[in-house]
Amino acid sequence: MTVFTHHPTPTAASATRHGLRLVAAGAQLWRVIDRAGRIVGHVRADGEPDALRFHALRYSTRVRRFFEVGRFWSLEDAVSCLHYAR
């Protein structure tokens, strides 16, 4: 049996609208970086290829862990959430 895995490919339009860029940080994880090079957060894809959810994550230095800001059906919405949650 052959199993195909789907890795969503982020588009530049997802982040450039807010002056952000996406950098691959794992198989289904992207780091969201602003123009100054600061990390705004991360976006993680999860689910089946036909029903992907994108999780917007922010890191808290106080408790040293990631917090989910929201779950979205599109990568663009997850990136927008991180932009406006700053």
Side-chain angles (χ1 to χ4, degrees):
M1 181 169 123
T2 303
V3 177
F4 294 101
T5 57
H6 173 75
H7 299 290
T9 305
T11 60
S14 304
T16 56
R17 181 173 53 168
H18 298 296
L20 304 171
R21 64 186 171 99
L22 300 174
V23 177
Q28 294 187 323
L29 181 70
W30 298 276
R31 192 170 288 124
V32 181
I33 300 174
D34 68 7
R35 288 183 185 138
R38 292 182 298 257
I39 298 172
V40 176
H42 289 77
V43 175
R44 184 188 62 194
D46 188 24
E48 299 298 318
D50 59 340
L52 280 176
R53 298 286 296 220
F54 295 92
H55 304 262
L57 306 168
R58 296 289 302 257
Y59 185 76
S60 171
T61 55
R62 187 172 55 89
V63 292
R64 297 184 178 143
R65 73 180 187 104
F66 284 97
F67 287 96
E68 184 175 76
V69 180
R71 294 181 188 174
F72 304 92
W73 289 110
S74 76
L75 179 62
E76 292 176 9
D77 289 344
V79 171
S80 292
C81 175
L82 288 171
H83 170 73
Y84 291 117
R86 296 198 281 173

